[in-house]
Amino acid sequence: MIIAHEWNEYQMYKKRRNVDNNYLCFMIETQLHQLAQWLHTPSKMVIIPHKNPDGDAMGSTLAWQNVMQQLGHTATVLAPNPYPTFLHWMPGHSDVVIYESEEEKGNKLVAEADFIFTLDFNTLKRIDDLGIRVAESKAKKIMIDHHQEPEGYADLMFSEPHIGSTCELVYQLLERLDIRKHINKEVATCIYTGILTDTGSFRFPSVTANTHKAVAHLIECGANHSHIHEQIKDTARPDRLKLLGIALQNMVFLYDINTVYITLSQDELDACHFQKGDAEGFVNYGLSVEGIKVAVLMIEYRHEGLVKFSFRSKGDVAVNTFAKTYFDGGGHLNAAGGISKRSLAQTKPFLVESLRAYFG
Ligand code: 5GP
Ligand code: MN
């Protein structure tokens, strides 16, 4: 665990970084030194992204796995549940173990691991039941993440909420560990993917000159940016576009609080043969309307008995605290998620009431 004076130092650093966004990634020297030492001896590693992994979660875990394997470790990516097919082309995809369908294998991996790396999330709640196994495991735990308010379960914490993606943090970490030479074409491709997806294609305020320097180097290492964009953005099924049409039809504008929300019911999903990831990006359409500061997408998963939320915002409007206050969620200032266990019909008025109370 990080000792107190280091934690204070860390917080002071973060204040400074708030002022100077270009300030280079800070990582507590003793932690870096400890990690470098651990990496010297070949060991068994499990690398875990958050539930419903996205491009950043898969990109960062697969990149980290590839480098660890190059260093002689036995490293496995263990995802809590499946991820969208538009990420299945990623290098290393075929070896990913999905906990939801291979629980026994996953439990064995976790129980026998020397090290568990948790990437792109800040609390073990984000990996459901797998979190209980991780907490029980005797393995050393290392968090690599960019979400605010990290939970203290890890032995080493590389937590950088100011960095736009965990993939960029992984890049910085490889640099600070002086193992950047292991960024081959596959690793570069994975890291590029996560930076791309978590920065809205390099447009969010979290993007810095350092992001672009990293990306330039990744392209030099073999990342084919055009091909990656195509794989991520241009491989949709026609059904996905039909669903987008329905989502756009369902948009409700609350002009008095500069907010828009979209609903998708289970019936609408079924009509379009919904697959994981189909609604990725839909929420952003709300923000493309002039004056709109907050956009909400809510999707009914009737079989799971819940409604899943995506929240997006512009400027300093904090959707993560809103999500935490009303919908058992969290995330980043401008991109957050949450859930409701009420029906979709009951959730809608509750959402509107909550939005008015919080942003009105
Ligand atoms: P998305 O809308 O793409 O599913 O999620 C946006 C961001 O919100 C994610 O990167 C993640 O940080 C956060 N997030 C999404 N769902 C949840 C949730 O259920 N709980 C928490 N704490 N964060 C979430
Ligand atoms: Mn991320």
Side-chain angles (χ1 to χ4, degrees):
M1 217 58 78
I2 304 176
I3 43 180
H5 77 266
E6 285 185 329
W7 186 248
N8 290 339
E9 195 188 331
Y10 198 31
Q11 295 308 321
M12 270 167 55
Y13 160 76
K14 287 192 177 182
K15 280 199 188 120
R16 178 164 171 200
R17 225 189 114 91
N18 261 336
V19 179
D20 179 3
N21 205 26
N22 268 332
Y23 193 55
L24 253 185
C25 179
F26 172 90
M27 291 162 196
I28 297 167
E29 288 301 328
T30 49
Q31 291 207 94
L32 275 168
H33 185 71
Q34 178 65 81
L35 180 57
Q37 270 199 334
W38 283 344
L39 296 185
H40 274 144
T41 321
S43 49
K44 287 186 198 159
M45 298 176 169
V46 175
I47 305 166
I48 304 177
H50 57 76
K51 191 180 174 190
N52 299 323
D54 56 10
D56 190 33
M58 290 321 298
S60 57
T61 49
L62 290 169
W64 192 255
Q65 177 196 39
N66 190 307
V67 174
M68 292 303 110
Q69 287 174 342
Q70 290 182 57
L71 294 175
H73 304 288
T74 306
T76 311
V77 174
L78 176 61
N81 66 344
Y83 45 95
T85 48
F86 67 77
L87 297 172
H88 286 189
W89 59 274
M90 292 183 76
H93 156 69
S94 53
D95 296 328
V96 174
V97 177
I98 305 292
Y99 189 69
E100 198 178 83
S101 46
E102 293 188 85
E103 197 175 321
E104 214 170 294
K105 187 172 178 181
N107 286 341
K108 193 163 183 286
L109 282 165
V110 168
E112 292 175 357
D114 302 307
F115 297 102
I116 297 175
F117 291 90
T118 63
L119 273 74
D120 202 31
F121 61 93
N122 58 351
T123 154
L124 292 180
K125 277 196 290 191
R126 293 277 282 138
I127 53 171
D128 287 353
D129 292 350
L130 180 53
I132 299 165
R133 304 293 177 171
V134 170
E136 284 168 0
S137 165
K138 290 195 188 71
K140 295 266 188 267
K141 286 144 208 147
I142 300 110
M143 174 197 285
I144 303 175
D145 179 49
H146 71 136
H147 292 88
Q148 285 166 358
E149 299 177 17
E151 201 178 78
Y153 62 84
D155 297 278
L156 296 182
M157 265 167 71
F158 298 99
S159 163
E160 277 288 344
H162 296 92
I163 293 190
S165 60
T166 298
C167 274
E168 185 176 341
L169 178 54
V170 163
Y171 179 87
Q172 305 272 11
L173 197 48
L174 296 177
E175 191 168 38
R176 294 293 301 271
L177 289 166
D178 205 18
I179 48 176
R180 235 177 55 162
K181 61 176 178 293
H182 294 294
I183 303 180
N184 55 22
K185 183 180 164 79
E186 286 72 34
V187 174
T189 301
C190 291
I191 297 179
Y192 184 96
T193 300
I195 297 179
L196 169 77
T197 56
D198 254 34
T199 61
S201 305
F202 311 105
R203 59 166 286 196
F204 295 155
S206 57
V207 172
T208 65
N210 285 327
T211 314
H212 284 281
K213 282 177 196 162
V215 163
H217 182 233
L218 295 171
I219 292 173
E220 281 167 4
C221 292
N224 182 336
H225 62 280
S226 178
H227 183 67
I228 297 170
H229 274 257
E230 245 176 72
Q231 295 289 324
I232 302 265
K233 306 280 183 192
D234 303 337
T235 53
R237 291 169 297 112
D239 269 339
R240 178 178 188 268
L241 291 193
K242 279 191 204 155
L243 191 65
L244 173 61
I246 295 171
L248 296 178
Q249 291 281 353
N250 290 350
M251 265 187 179
V252 177
F253 290 90
L254 306 171
Y255 290 110
D256 58 320
I257 48 168
N258 303 316
T259 297
V260 62
Y261 73 84
I262 301 173
T263 54
L264 283 173
S265 68
Q266 183 72 58
D267 291 341
E268 287 165 334
L269 301 185
D270 291 345
C272 297
H273 311 101
F274 180 78
Q275 291 180 5
K276 201 173 264 293
D278 277 354
E280 194 80 33
F282 286 10
V283 63
N284 296 314
Y285 284 90
L287 280 189
S288 71
V289 176
E290 191 178 10
I292 294 297
K293 295 274 170 52
V294 176
V296 184
L297 169 69
M298 47 182 151
I299 304 181
E300 179 188 32
Y301 294 100
R302 204 179 289 144
H303 314 297
E304 295 176 46
L306 56 84
V307 175
K308 181 89 184 79
F309 283 96
S310 284
F311 302 102
R312 298 292 184 272
S313 67
K314 280 186 189 150
D316 57 4
V317 180
V319 281
N320 52 355
T321 47
F322 174 75
K324 192 172 171 185
T325 307
Y326 295 99
F327 295 105
D328 195 22
H332 309 281
L333 185 79
N334 298 130
I339 55 160
S340 160
K341 297 215 166 134
R342 304 170 196 221
S343 70
L344 183 61
Q346 288 173 321
T347 300
K348 267 193 251 183
F350 180 66
L351 169 78
V352 174
E353 208 179 288
S354 315
L355 286 167
R356 290 227 155 89
Y358 204 78
F359 298 114

